Amino acid sequence: MNIRLLHRDEIDLPRWNGCVHYAPNSLIYGYAWYLDNVADNWWGLVEDDYQSVFPLPWNDKLFGIKRLYQPPLCQQLGLFTVNGFSEARIKAFLQAIPKEFKHSQLAFNDSMSAIQRLSDYKVVERPNYLLPLNQAYEKLYEKYSSNHKRNIKKGEKANLFATSSIKPEDFVAQLEQEMLRKGEQFPQATYHAALRIIYNALHRGQGFFMLCLNEQKEVCAAVFWLLNGARYINLLNYTTPAGKEVGAMPYLIDLFIQGQANKPMFIDFEGSSIPGIARFYEGFGAENMPFYQWTENRLPWWIRWKG
């Protein structure tokens, strides 16, 4: 097994993207175009003739010290390979990470469960909720929580209707407004990255909007879905105050499930460790398919934090 470190400008992009595409655990986050739009910088570890690839997003914003970090809007990375996820392969890639990175915190995809058996590393399991859609809608609906069913009926009584028509700039601006309304905020760089990803995904046919409006044609809830093979990824979403009163988000997701039922696809809700959000996703019958957060801390003592 020959593992090489390649800087971004040394990577053969068609081969890199080909590996991500054909890997059984392919995820849109691993493609070069996606990494280019979310990471400050990134390099890659490559096995042999691009049979395995491993993105290394990094920055030097901490006193000029290089560190690996998980970019925003990029839930899972790690190893993408056509060669299998043995403990030996995972360990070899981790050992190939350059020592110049003094702190590392990366989220590894759900195919890397073997990392939990490698006692040399600090690994924390993180939840992610997936909903298979390969059943009739009636069967899927049976698994909804009673609260979701009540909210869906509210949306029906409010005569909400769906559309896909919104400008990316308007979607992101409304998202920021609703985050502020909740007392939360992303860094501005994340909103800029969101716009880049949305435009790129739309251009590539790998993303689409879904919104529901009330009778006054006001947006009540909106989702931007990424299309990743058999996976619909709930990348970004928001609900307005008017939408919360009429169960707009459960209504909107239910409409989407109705349209996709009985297909060999699944919804990736992108998980959450926040109990209320986790319950919301579980309320559609979604099941936890965890991924893994890996941390290594070799910072100098004078800036070391509990990693």
Side-chain angles (χ1 to χ4, degrees):
M1 186 189 312
N2 176 37
I3 299 175
R4 296 171 290 149
L5 172 71
L6 298 178
H7 291 192
R8 168 64 179 82
D9 59 0
E10 299 172 317
I11 290 172
D12 185 321
L13 296 183
R15 289 184 176 183
W16 177 281
N17 291 329
C19 178
V20 174
H21 178 78
Y22 288 108
N25 65 325
S26 179
L27 286 171
I28 198 168
Y29 316 115
Y31 286 94
W33 71 265
Y34 202 98
L35 291 163
D36 285 343
N37 283 292
V38 296
D40 294 332
N41 309 278
W42 68 278
W43 296 342
L45 296 174
V46 174
E47 179 186 353
D48 297 329
D49 190 19
Y50 289 83
Q51 295 170 8
S52 307
V53 298
F54 193 114
L56 297 175
W58 65 272
N59 63 37
D60 56 3
K61 294 179 179 179
L62 183 69
F63 301 104
I65 296 172
K66 285 182 179 176
R67 58 176 179 169
L68 299 178
Y69 77 109
Q70 194 69 22
L73 308 177
C74 188
Q75 188 197 50
Q76 304 176 36
L77 288 174
L79 180 63
F80 300 96
T81 181
V82 298
N83 285 338
F85 294 87
S86 66
E87 291 181 30
R89 175 163 282 105
I90 292 172
K91 188 170 185 177
F93 270 88
L94 294 180
Q95 290 176 338
I97 293 174
K99 299 305 181 187
E100 64 188 289
F101 296 114
K102 300 303 182 184
H103 187 271
S104 303
Q105 189 167 77
L106 295 175
F108 293 156
N109 61 72
D110 54 32
S111 293
M112 292 181 63
S113 59
I115 195 173
Q116 297 178 103
R117 299 192 291 274
L118 300 177
S119 59
D120 296 341
Y121 302 103
K122 180 179 179 181
V123 178
V124 177
E125 194 174 277
R126 297 296 186 197
N128 187 44
Y129 291 92
L130 304 182
L131 175 64
L133 297 168
N134 59 345
Q135 297 184 68
Y137 170 69
E138 292 73 19
K139 291 289 186 182
L140 295 169
Y141 183 81
E142 286 175 4
K143 299 176 184 177
Y144 288 10
S145 68
S146 56
N147 189 52
H148 279 354
K149 291 177 180 177
R150 281 194 300 271
N151 278 313
I152 291 165
K153 287 182 171 62
K154 282 185 186 179
E156 292 170 348
K157 289 180 181 177
N159 294 318
L160 299 180
F161 63 96
T163 181
S164 60
S165 180
I166 189 171
K167 293 179 180 178
E169 290 83 359
D170 293 341
F171 175 88
V172 172
Q174 188 69 48
L175 172 68
E176 182 174 8
Q177 182 176 325
E178 297 309 324
M179 294 284 290
L180 286 170
R181 200 190 306 275
K182 294 188 295 184
E184 302 173 13
Q185 181 64 295
F186 292 139
Q188 282 301 307
T190 300
Y191 294 112
H192 297 157
L195 266 178
R196 292 193 298 270
I197 289 300
I198 288 170
Y199 269 112
N200 269 272
L202 291 172
H203 174 72
R204 296 164 187 273
Q206 290 184 270
F208 54 94
F209 290 110
M210 190 172 183
L211 306 84
C212 63
L213 282 63
N214 59 20
E215 292 177 315
Q216 291 73 44
K217 297 185 178 180
E218 300 168 323
V219 176
C220 290
V223 179
F224 183 73
W225 298 98
L226 281 176
L227 178 57
N228 178 194
R231 184 183 298 235
Y232 294 113
I233 298 175
N234 172 32
L235 183 70
L236 293 163
N237 67 74
Y238 63 82
T239 307
T240 65
K244 289 176 183 174
E245 293 180 7
V246 292
M249 188 58 76
Y251 176 84
L252 184 61
I253 293 176
D254 175 66
L255 280 181
F256 185 69
I257 291 171
Q258 287 186 51
Q260 303 303 320
N262 254 334
K263 294 181 181 178
M265 305 287 289
F266 58 93
I267 292 175
D268 181 343
F269 285 110
E270 277 211 327
S272 181
S273 298
I274 301 171
I277 298 176
R279 282 195 302 272
F280 181 82
Y281 296 147
E282 288 179 310
F284 288 102
E287 299 179 358
N288 183 21
M289 179 69 75
F291 60 102
Y292 308 95
Q293 182 176 288
W294 168 72
T295 303
E296 185 176 61
N297 191 346
R298 294 185 296 103
L299 287 165
W301 64 268
W302 49 276
I303 54 171
R304 179 181 290 268
W305 68 82
K306 188 175 181 181

